[in-house]
Amino acid sequence: MASLFTALGTAGNSLDAIEQAIGVVQNNVTNATTPGYVTQTLQLGARPFDPSANLWGGVEVTGVQDSRDVYAEQSVWSANEQSGYSSQQSASLNQLQQIFNVSGQSGIPGALSNLYSAFSAWSTSPSNATEQQAVITAAQGLSTAVTQTYAQAQQINSDTQQQLSASVSQLNQYTSQIATINGEIRTSPTGDAGLQAQLYNTIEQVSNLAPVTVNIESDGTATVLLDGQSPLVQGTTQNNVSVNYVQPGSGNNSGPSPTVQLLSSDGQDITALANQGTIGGAINFCNSVIPGVLGVTKPTPTGLNGLANGIATVVNNLLTAGQVSAGPPPVAGVPLFSAQGSTPGSSFSVVASMTGSQLAAISPGPPAVANGVAQALAGLATPTNAASMVNGFSLTEFYGNIASSVGQQASTASDDVSSNTSLLNQAQSLRAQVSGVSLNDQATKLLQFQESYQASAQMISTINTMTQSLLTVMQQVT
Amino acid sequence: MLAGLDAYTSTFLSNLNATENRINQANEQLSSGYRVNQPSDDPGAIDAILDYQGQIEQVTQTQSNLSQATTVSNLADSALTSANNLLNELTSIAAQGSNSTSSAANNSALGQQVQGIEQQLVSLANTTFGGTYVFGGDDATTQPYTFDWSVPGGVVQNNKSSNTIAISNSDGDSLVIPGQTAQQIFAAQNSDGSPAAGNIFQNVWALGQALQNNNQAGIQAANTSMQASIAQLGQATTISGNTLNWLQQSTDSATSKLTTLQGQLSNLRDADAAQAATNLSSAETAQQAAVAARGTMNIKSLFSYFG
């Protein structure tokens, strides 16, 4: 009789355990598409069974197992960091390359060609006022083309800086969320799948912004470090990062544009650590790509500043060595272009007081040639001596090198976006296979538990019938 | 995270995105006609494209310079032809004047004619084009000569500049246009500045003076020196002919160079329209197929079969 009641109790307990298991399946199915959620499995264990020792077995719940694979998560984060970096680079470079005309018919190369043509037409008739004015107009066209391109590059730089600021404040928001989740993890039962899902989903968002290293502590909280070094979140403490712009000419910025510094909450320069993610991509664009495009005038002329300075130097040198009139007394030539300061790309202009009649066409020789300078200026299109070149290149080639360098970087960034996106997809797919919710698995489990539940219920019903029979027999005996 | 059934959604989306990029690229190539529309399309070709485009602009400008120079040179050449006709006329006048039967009054009238011809020659030396003097040399805005029968030579020289203004062709050669100045053609001088034997103004003036004064010896001498002037003008005509030849050759050469450059640029920059159209159509087909397949995909799990 005692064993019958024990069997009845054991069967009842098993119904409890199976109900819990069905609860876990239900939670898995409903969270199948929740970001960060991984399959939970209820651990069932057999109780000790030894009838001789009056141990009647049964089933018990030993815990909930989490299918999360930290290596799969890490490979997703790492792919996400690279994908964020190349996406940001590609977006900014794609905007930047639009300002570089490569047809040769407009923009800076078109304006250069127009100026060469105006010089050439003027050289056939150096005293013709119409041709002289055409040279001045073409020169103004060139200065406008250069300063416009320069201003557009600066505008794209400032747009990227704004995106960077937005990314940094998003990073701070996410790390603050992680600190809050850490606090909740400390006070909640271990292994709360919902909190875990929130935590890992937020870390994944962070990894798109910057390179992070995550350590899961013994209390289940996540410590998040920027590139393994600068702490962003420790327990419930969050460290904000901020952006600082070092203006040209101040600090150690000798470049043409503001450089970006990423500062930790205690003011340390952690720029070098942010080498991935959208923040890394934006920093690289502002600190490396844009200064390369804007360029410097010395020691080696580069970028648009080098170009503006180069045009002014080459053209002005020829004009000032020439004569406006052979005299007597001879009237020396005057400069056509003004390219002042360390960023001539932004101030490049035609000298305000310059008029067509002040253009020096005469090369004094000997022998003097009435259109010698004008011809030399027209010849700048295909220069043959170093004095007519900038850093060994014709003016058009110098421009072409800037455009081609931007194009190369844009092309590489675009290829990187494709390959990094597919790497990220692979990593995500792998993670989903390892720890994602498989509806087929859950359906199978549901069927199994349903069967078990029915069987256990049948057991209770059968034992109940047996107990009833025994009681009837007992009544008849008495 | 959902596993198994739909793990490849993101892969599908990025592949679809890549297909759309191919459609956009093919569209851009077809609508612009260019293979290289932005630097990243072919960074390595940019220098060469800009170089060819720059050379095309340069050759086009050279063509325009050559065309203007041809106009000026044709004007100069026709001035020389007119001058040659006038010199031939003078030869016959000199022959009439040196005829012993010619009276003093007749000779004086002939002298008047010669004076008129001298004036016409001065006009030819002062031929203008677009406000500048064709034979003015470097100082093309100053009239070379003023007619003045009262001074020796019959002219006053206003412009002594030489001509150094050369124009360049697309082969790297250059030539002074037109070849000679008014002084070189009409008033040739010896190195000491005295009139040379072939000095046209001087010889015509001397003939006119001799006729007006009925100076037979002078008329004879002037008749002889007219031959030197005709030879002088012949040289100028030869130079002018050479100049026109050079201009014609240079124009032909520029045209052929332009054609070559445009071909080279086109090879490098222009889209292969047939290829782009094929690319567009294949990418569009791929996109439609992918979207249609995805749309009809019947994603089911075991749950779908539960009663």
Side-chain angles (χ1 to χ4, degrees):
Chain A
M1 188 73 193
S3 61
L4 264 185
F5 285 131
T6 310
L8 198 59
T10 308
N13 280 341
S14 74
L15 288 184
D16 268 359
I18 293 166
E19 275 172 21
Q20 283 188 50
I22 288 173
V24 170
V25 169
Q26 174 272 127
N27 195 45
N28 283 339
V29 171
T30 49
N31 279 306
T33 52
T34 306
Y37 185 85
V38 295
T39 311
Q40 308 290 312
T41 313
L42 195 73
Q43 300 294 107
L44 296 175
R47 282 179 167 172
F49 179 70
D50 185 357
S52 62
N54 206 26
L55 291 172
W56 293 97
V59 65
E60 65 179 0
V61 173
T62 57
V64 178
Q65 199 191 26
D66 191 308
S67 65
R68 192 174 302 282
D69 182 330
V70 176
Y71 294 108
E73 296 285 353
Q74 273 169 353
S75 68
V76 170
W77 298 335
S78 158
N80 211 10
E81 287 162 10
Q82 286 170 26
S83 163
Y85 182 88
S86 51
S87 301
Q88 174 67 54
Q89 284 274 72
S90 177
S92 294
L93 277 163
N94 208 25
Q95 260 190 304
L96 186 64
Q97 70 163 337
Q98 305 299 330
I99 67 175
F100 288 97
N101 176 286
V102 290
S103 72
Q105 289 160 326
S106 59
I108 295 177
L112 269 172
S113 283
N114 285 346
L115 183 63
Y116 294 146
S117 293
F119 281 144
S120 175
W122 171 52
S123 77
T124 64
S125 178
S127 52
N128 183 316
T130 312
E131 303 293 7
Q132 290 171 343
Q133 188 51 46
V135 169
I136 301 284
T137 308
Q140 282 163 342
L142 178 59
S143 76
T144 308
V146 171
T147 50
Q148 266 183 0
T149 306
Y150 196 89
Q152 284 169 330
Q154 282 182 315
Q155 182 57 48
I156 292 165
N157 189 30
S158 103
D159 290 350
T160 307
Q161 285 175 357
Q162 281 184 6
Q163 287 167 16
L164 172 65
S165 297
S167 294
V168 166
S169 74
Q170 216 170 20
L171 173 73
N172 288 332
Q173 216 177 325
Y174 286 139
T175 51
S176 150
Q177 280 175 23
I178 293 174
T180 311
I181 297 169
N182 275 346
E184 289 171 17
I185 287 175
R186 275 185 182 163
T187 56
S188 76
T190 330
D192 182 329
L195 282 176
Q196 290 288 324
Q198 283 179 35
L199 177 68
Y200 279 87
N201 182 42
T202 314
I203 293 173
E204 192 174 331
Q205 306 293 331
V206 171
S207 72
N208 189 244
L209 296 172
V212 287
T213 313
V214 180
N215 297 324
I216 302 297
E217 306 300 334
S218 54
D219 61 359
T221 60
T223 301
V224 182
L225 303 168
L226 184 66
D227 201 29
Q229 296 181 47
S230 178
L232 297 174
V233 187
Q234 274 178 313
T236 55
T237 313
Q238 179 230 358
N239 296 312
N240 264 332
V241 294
S242 57
V243 186
N244 180 40
Y245 296 104
V246 183
Q247 294 305 316
S250 65
N252 56 0
N253 183 4
S254 56
S257 57
T259 49
V260 177
Q261 269 187 337
L262 198 65
L263 300 179
S264 65
S265 56
D266 56 356
Q268 297 293 312
D269 184 352
I270 51 169
T271 318
L273 301 181
N275 51 14
Q276 289 294 338
T278 53
I279 292 178
I283 290 178
N284 180 266
F285 184 79
C286 294
N287 286 357
S288 165
V289 177
I290 283 288
V293 166
L294 299 182
V296 291
T297 55
K298 53 191 173 182
T300 308
T302 59
L304 294 169
N305 284 321
L307 178 66
N309 196 55
I311 297 171
T313 308
V314 167
V315 172
N316 289 348
N317 280 351
L318 283 170
L319 283 171
T320 51
Q323 290 175 345
V324 180
S325 147
V331 179
V334 292
L336 172 62
F337 287 113
S338 157
Q340 305 292 323
S342 60
T343 56
S346 63
S347 62
F348 189 56
S349 61
V350 172
V351 172
S353 58
M354 189 71 185
T355 60
S357 60
Q358 287 176 292
L359 287 167
I362 305 167
S363 65
V369 177
N371 66 346
V373 171
Q375 281 219 314
L377 286 166
L380 287 177
T382 47
T384 49
N385 59 29
S388 302
M389 299 182 186
V390 183
N391 200 22
F393 296 104
S394 78
L395 296 172
T396 308
E397 281 168 352
F398 193 89
Y399 167 84
N401 291 346
I402 305 173
S404 142
S405 152
V406 170
Q408 188 63 60
Q409 293 180 72
S411 164
T412 307
S414 165
D415 291 347
D416 286 352
V417 168
S418 311
S419 62
N420 288 337
T421 305
S422 91
L423 280 179
L424 178 61
N425 289 341
Q426 279 174 23
Q428 283 173 334
S429 160
L430 192 70
R431 181 182 61 179
Q433 282 170 22
V434 172
S435 54
V437 176
S438 159
L439 291 180
N440 290 334
D441 280 359
Q442 299 303 315
T444 314
K445 281 186 175 161
L446 187 60
L447 287 176
Q448 285 172 350
F449 292 136
Q450 190 187 9
E451 278 300 311
S452 293
Y453 194 87
Q454 281 173 353
S456 294
Q458 197 63 49
M459 280 297 294
I460 292 172
S461 166
T462 309
I463 294 167
N464 186 37
T465 312
M466 286 167 68
T467 315
Q468 285 295 334
S469 309
L470 190 60
L471 285 175
T472 311
V473 171
M474 295 282 283
Q475 278 170 356
Q476 286 169 355
V477 169
T478 53
Chain B
M1 286 182 288
L2 189 61
L5 290 175
D6 208 11
Y8 297 102
T9 304
S10 48
T11 311
F12 169 78
L13 288 175
S14 59
N15 286 344
L16 194 63
N17 199 24
T19 308
E20 275 168 5
N21 285 344
R22 273 165 51 208
I23 292 177
N24 290 341
Q25 194 179 24
N27 253 328
E28 194 177 19
Q29 289 190 356
L30 283 173
S31 59
S32 71
Y34 295 154
R35 181 181 66 89
V36 182
N37 288 293
Q38 51 195 15
S40 64
D41 289 341
D42 190 350
I46 291 170
D47 271 336
I49 290 175
L50 293 179
D51 182 40
Y52 284 137
Q53 183 63 39
Q55 285 190 52
I56 286 173
E57 304 278 344
Q58 217 184 344
V59 174
T60 309
Q61 181 59 45
T62 301
Q63 282 184 321
S64 150
N65 291 351
L66 288 171
S67 150
Q68 181 166 337
T70 306
T71 309
V72 170
S73 297
N74 278 330
L75 210 55
D77 198 59
S78 72
L80 294 183
T81 308
S82 305
N84 198 43
N85 293 340
L86 291 173
L87 289 193
N88 287 334
E89 206 176 314
L90 284 170
T91 316
S92 91
I93 289 174
Q96 285 178 47
S98 60
N99 189 331
S100 55
T101 59
S102 182
S103 67
N106 192 27
N107 277 353
S108 174
L110 288 173
Q112 285 297 321
Q113 263 190 47
V114 172
Q115 187 177 338
I117 289 173
E118 173 91 330
Q119 202 165 356
Q120 286 182 50
L121 285 169
V122 173
S123 298
L124 289 173
N126 292 340
T127 302
T128 59
F129 171 74
T132 58
Y133 292 94
V134 170
F135 298 112
D138 293 347
D139 187 4
T141 50
T142 305
Q143 180 177 318
Y145 286 95
T146 309
F147 174 74
D148 186 350
W149 195 245
S150 67
V151 298
V155 289
V156 176
Q157 186 176 10
N158 307 313
N159 174 352
K160 295 184 176 169
S161 71
S162 56
N163 191 6
T164 60
I165 299 177
I167 77 155
S168 305
N169 65 13
S170 55
D171 304 321
D173 297 333
S174 60
L175 191 69
V176 171
I177 302 289
Q180 292 189 303
T181 63
Q183 182 192 304
Q184 287 169 320
I185 299 166
F186 294 98
Q189 292 177 352
N190 296 317
S191 54
D192 62 358
S194 60
N199 187 314
I200 295 170
F201 289 150
Q202 176 65 35
N203 293 341
V204 174
W205 179 77
L207 175 64
Q209 292 291 330
L211 283 168
Q212 283 172 348
N213 298 329
N214 198 20
N215 172 357
Q216 276 301 324
I219 295 170
Q220 290 293 343
N223 196 10
T224 311
S225 44
M226 278 317 296
Q227 298 312 311
S229 286
I230 288 172
Q232 167 77 28
L233 195 63
Q235 279 177 23
T237 309
T238 306
I239 292 173
S240 172
N242 289 343
T243 303
L244 285 169
N245 277 342
W246 184 85
L247 286 169
Q248 187 55 51
Q249 281 168 12
S250 296
T251 305
D252 293 347
S253 162
T255 307
S256 105
K257 193 163 185 185
L258 191 62
T259 312
T260 310
L261 283 169
Q262 281 168 337
Q264 284 167 327
L265 178 64
S266 170
N267 284 343
L268 202 58
R269 183 186 61 186
D270 292 356
D272 178 342
Q275 185 63 51
T278 314
N279 289 349
L280 178 65
S281 134
S282 86
E284 273 177 349
T285 311
Q287 186 207 30
Q288 283 163 9
V291 173
R294 187 79 188 174
T296 54
M297 219 166 128
N298 196 3
I299 299 172
K300 283 185 173 172
S301 74
L302 188 52
F303 280 108
S304 315
Y305 299 95
F306 280 12

